[in-house]
Amino acid sequence: MIAAAVCAIVSNVLAGPQRRLAWAGTIPPSSGTPAGRTTPAGQSAATPAPSAGETSFPPHPDKPWVEIPGDAAASLHARGDVVFLDARRTAAYREGHIARARPFSVWESDVDDKVRAFFAEGHEPSAPILVYCSGGDCEDSHILAQKLFLAGFDNVLVYKDGFPDWQKRGLSTTKGASP
Amino acid sequence: MREGPSISSLLEHPWLTVRVQLALGAIFVAAAIPKIADPPSFAHMIYNYRLVPGGVVNLAALWIPWVELLAGLALILGVWRRGAAFVVGLLLLVFIAAVGINLARGHAIDCGCFDVRDAGKTETERLADMRWVVLRDAGMLLLVGQLLFATRGGRPQPEPEAGRRQAGSPGSPDPVP
């Protein structure tokens, strides 16, 4: 058991950034019980989720994320000024991602640094940010949304059907390690 | 009149023990390698079980595969056999409980036993796989039971030659009184 712990420590220290894990997990509770910031007094807890085709995405400081369908994601992408973040593993990102999306794998050790760096870039906290993963029961996008919310972003939108749905719609994708 | 071999002597027969040791060892080494190669994916798998607190997921993902690997290697090499069998048995109990709890909840997950990538299976396929995993792990637990039985009381390391002698090969003294 101790030998296994020593091997685990050594292998994690020697691992590359995409294979390394943070020692203490910073994974928030699973969906359904999002850890929220304190809701401002008088703030309504019920922010309606945008419907398909809706083009207005108001901030929702009362909850970490709002799920949006593919039509809404496509309209946000068409605007050109909305940041898209890919929560899947970097290897999956390299194989194909939504055009202009940035890699933010929640399971790799540098995700918290990336969130901090993203905040330091000076993005407007109430501007929409779209996060996605593999759709289905994938919750990586929700985990990333939670991290962004805790970092101070009030308008994180989770594209719940994720990259498979985007591909099915024939929308623009890119391969490789950069957006 | 010669009596036939008892169940007990069959269960502790070195021929069987060596093969069980090698099979269990090979299975655990094969299970550990993909997890060691990709700890973030295995952490994701553990997270999906919804059983481990978020703060412990990463430590479990780093540590468990190495326990599997070292226990598997110990069985293959025949060193610390009994300790390794205990560890393997404990791991199997944990795996059976983890998959069983999620089956009872109706929460379909990829097992992550030998492959830590998202298999892209449907919920029905995952639930069917989970039932199979519980059965398979219970079968392996029986193998662990055989190993522990055969090595109880500090019995010596099985030797193929000893196995042949116990089987009563010609020219060897019959060990059965």
Side-chain angles (χ1 to χ4, degrees), chain A residues 12-56:
Chain A
N12 199 44
V13 167
L14 297 178
Q18 287 159 26
R19 280 190 54 249
R20 191 178 303 138
L21 278 173
W23 296 111
T26 55
I27 307 301
S30 57
S31 70
T33 53
R37 293 174 303 190
T38 308
T39 303
Q43 180 73 49
S44 164
T47 306
S51 58
E54 187 171 334
T55 52
S56 165

Side-chain angles (χ1 to χ4, degrees), chain B:
Chain B
M1 195 175 91
R2 271 182 70 125
E3 287 180 20
S6 66
I7 293 177
S8 161
S9 67
L10 285 175
L11 278 178
E12 61 190 15
H13 197 291
W15 184 94
L16 179 64
T17 306
V18 168
R19 279 151 185 81
V20 165
Q21 234 178 275
L22 291 176
L24 276 177
I27 289 168
F28 270 76
V29 169
I33 289 170
K35 296 168 193 164
I36 290 171
D38 190 359
S41 291
F42 186 48
H44 194 182
M45 292 280 170
I46 294 176
Y47 172 79
N48 285 343
Y49 276 83
R50 307 279 189 270
L51 292 171
V52 180
V56 185
V57 165
N58 289 1
L59 288 179
L62 289 168
W63 184 61
I64 291 173
W66 282 100
V67 175
E68 288 182 324
L69 182 75
L70 296 182
L73 285 176
L75 287 177
I76 290 172
L77 299 173
V79 292
W80 302 303
R81 280 187 308 160
R82 200 165 164 79
F86 264 121
V87 169
V88 165
L90 198 63
L91 286 172
L92 286 169
L93 285 174
V94 170
F95 298 158
I96 290 170
V99 177
I101 289 169
N102 279 285
L103 259 179
R105 289 170 173 170
H107 179 221
I109 46 171
D110 284 321
C111 153
C113 307
F114 293 93
D115 189 352
V116 289
R117 291 169 300 178
D118 181 359
K121 291 182 177 172
T122 64
E123 185 175 346
T124 313
E125 287 170 334
R126 282 178 178 160
L127 288 171
D129 281 357
M130 289 163 72
R131 286 186 204 100
W132 158 244
V133 165
V134 170
L135 281 177
R136 185 194 63 199
D137 287 0
M140 285 199 277
L141 210 48
L142 290 178
L143 297 182
V144 171
Q146 188 277 333
L147 264 187
L148 292 176
F149 180 75
T151 57
R152 70 193 186 285
R155 284 169 182 258
Q157 183 84 358
E159 299 285 345
E161 185 59 30
R164 278 197 292 278
R165 274 203 306 273
Q166 279 194 10
S169 58
S172 305
D174 190 345
V176 181

